[in-house]
Amino acid sequence: MNVFYNFHGIGDTLIIFMKDIEKSVLTYEKKGDAVRIFDTNTNETAGFNLFNVSSYFKVEGNGNIELNEELLQNINDSLEKNGFTTKLEADLSPKFVVGFITEKEKHPNADKLSICKVNVGEEQLQIVCGAPNVEAGQKVVVAKVGAVMPSGMVIKDAELRGVPSSGMICSARELELPNAPQEKGILVLEGDDEIGETFTF
């Protein structure tokens, strides 16, 4: 679940994105200040728009808003006040974490891609990476599935040339870090960062 707010761009509206559904099958249901967007065939919810959101609670930030327990509760309370009984749930675990590349092998169907096994603490992810400097033994920044990049891109499970990939190994430029090098290549961490800990930027 991703949450977006831009007062100057779209007004006092909170956009709650839950699932990517083909636009041609979408319809909506409006109750008060809340609109549910859903699939007409399956009834699956794609998301909600909450209008006049500042009359319900204060939104901190602009653009992609970091979801926490308080914000999730505020959203659920506001939807309930407008007549929706659905309780939204979300994975609130950190989405940008320190990872350690345990294995790297060449992609069988693409010369410039590598298949990496990456330890992110509680699990090991398989991530297809196209960076020329990626190697086993590196400590890196991993954007897990569900992460929203500074560019607005949402990280999803994918399949690259027939190989499943869950997450992204990030470059400094993709993280929009100050003085990030412009040449291609992942950010390799040199400090004492613990594997699995949250990477803040």
Side-chain angles (χ1 to χ4, degrees):
M1 188 166 104
N2 296 296
V3 180
F4 184 86
Y5 182 77
N6 183 340
F7 182 82
H8 297 294
I10 58 173
D12 192 21
T13 301
L14 194 72
I15 296 174
I16 303 145
F17 176 84
M18 296 170 62
K19 186 165 184 146
D20 201 3
I21 296 175
E22 181 66 42
K23 287 182 181 177
S24 63
V25 298
L26 290 178
T27 190
Y28 68 90
E29 174 187 15
K30 189 175 191 299
K31 295 182 179 181
D33 283 329
V35 174
R36 174 180 170 247
I37 299 114
F38 62 96
D39 187 324
T40 51
N41 299 322
T42 65
N43 203 34
E44 279 186 295
T45 301
F48 284 89
N49 290 344
L50 184 61
F51 300 104
N52 303 310
V53 65
S54 60
S55 66
Y56 296 93
F57 57 89
K58 185 178 180 183
V59 180
E60 300 286 350
N62 191 54
N64 292 298
I65 306 298
E66 185 176 345
L67 196 58
N68 55 36
E69 286 186 19
E70 182 183 3
L71 177 56
L72 184 60
Q73 187 62 53
N74 284 335
I75 291 171
N76 277 323
D77 289 347
S78 303
L79 292 176
E80 188 175 350
K81 283 176 185 174
N82 283 282
F84 286 102
T85 56
T86 308
K87 285 287 182 193
L88 305 188
E89 297 179 354
D91 175 8
L92 299 176
S93 64
K95 295 296 180 286
F96 292 91
V97 298
V98 176
F100 182 77
I101 302 174
T102 57
E103 295 177 38
K104 171 200 161 183
E105 62 180 79
K106 189 176 176 302
H107 193 297
N109 303 316
D111 291 340
K112 293 184 178 179
L113 297 179
S114 301
I115 304 169
C116 301
K117 297 285 196 296
V118 188
N119 178 0
V120 292
E122 294 184 354
E123 60 182 331
Q124 180 161 276
L125 302 175
Q126 176 171 286
I127 300 176
V128 177
C129 180
N133 65 328
V134 65
E135 295 293 346
Q138 291 171 333
K139 207 179 281 186
V140 295
V141 180
V142 175
K144 297 171 71 176
V145 170
V148 181
M149 300 301 292
S151 66
M153 179 178 73
V154 179
I155 302 301
K156 302 176 183 178
D157 280 312
E159 196 170 283
L160 300 174
R161 296 286 186 93
V163 176
S165 182
S166 298
M168 185 170 82
I169 302 172
C170 302
S171 70
R173 186 172 61 172
E174 288 163 337
L175 296 170
E176 295 187 5
L177 299 180
N179 304 313
Q182 293 306 299
E183 62 268 17
K184 282 189 173 182
I186 56 166
L187 173 64
V188 179
L189 301 174
E190 305 290 352
D192 299 325
D193 308 273
E194 291 287 328
I195 295 167
E197 76 176 27
T198 303
F199 180 81
T200 53
F201 57 97

mmCIF file of all heavy atoms in Angstrom, residues 4 12 18 61 76 87 93 103 180 194-195:
data_model
loop_
_atom_site.group_PDB
_atom_site.id
_atom_site.type_symbol
_atom_site.label_atom_id
_atom_site.label_comp_id
_atom_site.label_asym_id
_atom_site.label_seq_id
_atom_site.Cartn_x
_atom_site.Cartn_y
_atom_site.Cartn_z
ATOM 1 N N PHE A 4 -0.044 8.911 -1.224
ATOM 2 C CA PHE A 4 0.488 10.087 -1.918
ATOM 3 C C PHE A 4 -0.341 11.313 -1.560
ATOM 4 O O PHE A 4 -1.567 11.253 -1.509
ATOM 5 C CB PHE A 4 0.445 9.845 -3.435
ATOM 6 C CG PHE A 4 1.048 10.955 -4.243
ATOM 7 C CD1 PHE A 4 2.409 10.997 -4.514
ATOM 8 C CD2 PHE A 4 0.248 11.971 -4.739
ATOM 9 C CE1 PHE A 4 2.959 12.026 -5.252
ATOM 10 C CE2 PHE A 4 0.787 13.013 -5.488
ATOM 11 C CZ PHE A 4 2.150 13.040 -5.741
ATOM 12 N N ASP A 12 -6.334 19.089 -1.550
ATOM 13 C CA ASP A 12 -6.325 18.443 -0.237
ATOM 14 C C ASP A 12 -6.885 17.020 -0.323
ATOM 15 O O ASP A 12 -7.895 16.690 0.294
ATOM 16 C CB ASP A 12 -7.148 19.309 0.728
ATOM 17 C CG ASP A 12 -6.964 18.892 2.181
ATOM 18 O OD1 ASP A 12 -5.950 18.244 2.488
ATOM 19 O OD2 ASP A 12 -7.850 19.214 2.991
ATOM 20 N N MET A 18 -3.433 0.681 -3.604
ATOM 21 C CA MET A 18 -3.332 -0.641 -2.994
ATOM 22 C C MET A 18 -2.950 -1.740 -3.976
ATOM 23 O O MET A 18 -2.194 -2.636 -3.656
ATOM 24 C CB MET A 18 -4.671 -1.001 -2.328
ATOM 25 C CG MET A 18 -5.020 -0.073 -1.176
ATOM 26 S SD MET A 18 -6.692 -0.295 -0.574
ATOM 27 C CE MET A 18 -6.639 -1.986 -0.014
ATOM 28 N N GLY A 61 4.238 15.950 5.328
ATOM 29 C CA GLY A 61 5.044 15.678 4.144
ATOM 30 C C GLY A 61 4.319 15.985 2.853
ATOM 31 O O GLY A 61 3.165 16.434 2.840
ATOM 32 N N ASN A 76 -8.019 4.608 8.309
ATOM 33 C CA ASN A 76 -9.135 3.697 8.585
ATOM 34 C C ASN A 76 -10.279 4.409 9.299
ATOM 35 O O ASN A 76 -11.449 4.203 8.976
ATOM 36 C CB ASN A 76 -8.652 2.492 9.403
ATOM 37 C CG ASN A 76 -8.040 1.404 8.529
ATOM 38 O OD1 ASN A 76 -8.504 1.148 7.429
ATOM 39 N ND2 ASN A 76 -6.982 0.775 9.012
ATOM 40 N N LYS A 87 -11.265 -2.452 6.678
ATOM 41 C CA LYS A 87 -10.086 -2.053 7.445
ATOM 42 C C LYS A 87 -8.846 -2.310 6.584
ATOM 43 O O LYS A 87 -8.568 -3.453 6.222
ATOM 44 C CB LYS A 87 -9.983 -2.863 8.743
ATOM 45 C CG LYS A 87 -10.984 -2.431 9.799
ATOM 46 C CD LYS A 87 -10.596 -1.103 10.404
ATOM 47 C CE LYS A 87 -11.571 -0.685 11.492
ATOM 48 N NZ LYS A 87 -11.391 0.713 11.876
ATOM 49 N N SER A 93 6.936 -2.802 7.737
ATOM 50 C CA SER A 93 8.365 -3.065 7.926
ATOM 51 C C SER A 93 9.188 -2.152 7.020
ATOM 52 O O SER A 93 8.692 -1.673 5.995
ATOM 53 C CB SER A 93 8.680 -4.532 7.605
ATOM 54 O OG SER A 93 8.426 -4.804 6.242
ATOM 55 N N GLU A 103 25.803 -14.284 -3.146
ATOM 56 C CA GLU A 103 26.142 -14.988 -4.390
ATOM 57 C C GLU A 103 25.847 -14.093 -5.584
ATOM 58 O O GLU A 103 24.919 -13.275 -5.542
ATOM 59 C CB GLU A 103 25.302 -16.269 -4.556
ATOM 60 C CG GLU A 103 25.527 -17.346 -3.544
ATOM 61 C CD GLU A 103 24.574 -18.523 -3.770
ATOM 62 O OE1 GLU A 103 24.312 -18.861 -4.954
ATOM 63 O OE2 GLU A 103 24.068 -19.079 -2.785
ATOM 64 N N ALA A 180 25.871 12.291 -5.755
ATOM 65 C CA ALA A 180 25.863 10.927 -6.298
ATOM 66 C C ALA A 180 26.589 10.907 -7.636
ATOM 67 O O ALA A 180 26.380 11.784 -8.474
ATOM 68 C CB ALA A 180 24.434 10.448 -6.478
ATOM 69 N N GLU A 194 24.653 -2.702 9.944
ATOM 70 C CA GLU A 194 24.222 -4.077 10.214
ATOM 71 C C GLU A 194 23.323 -4.559 9.095
ATOM 72 O O GLU A 194 22.438 -3.820 8.619
ATOM 73 C CB GLU A 194 23.450 -4.141 11.532
ATOM 74 C CG GLU A 194 24.314 -3.907 12.777
ATOM 75 C CD GLU A 194 25.203 -5.093 13.091
ATOM 76 O OE1 GLU A 194 24.797 -6.234 12.809
ATOM 77 O OE2 GLU A 194 26.320 -4.860 13.599
ATOM 78 N N ILE A 195 23.511 -5.811 8.681
ATOM 79 C CA ILE A 195 22.662 -6.397 7.645
ATOM 80 C C ILE A 195 21.224 -6.460 8.138
ATOM 81 O O ILE A 195 20.964 -6.923 9.257
ATOM 82 C CB ILE A 195 23.168 -7.802 7.252
ATOM 83 C CG1 ILE A 195 24.556 -7.689 6.605
ATOM 84 C CG2 ILE A 195 22.200 -8.493 6.305
ATOM 85 C CD1 ILE A 195 25.261 -8.994 6.461
#
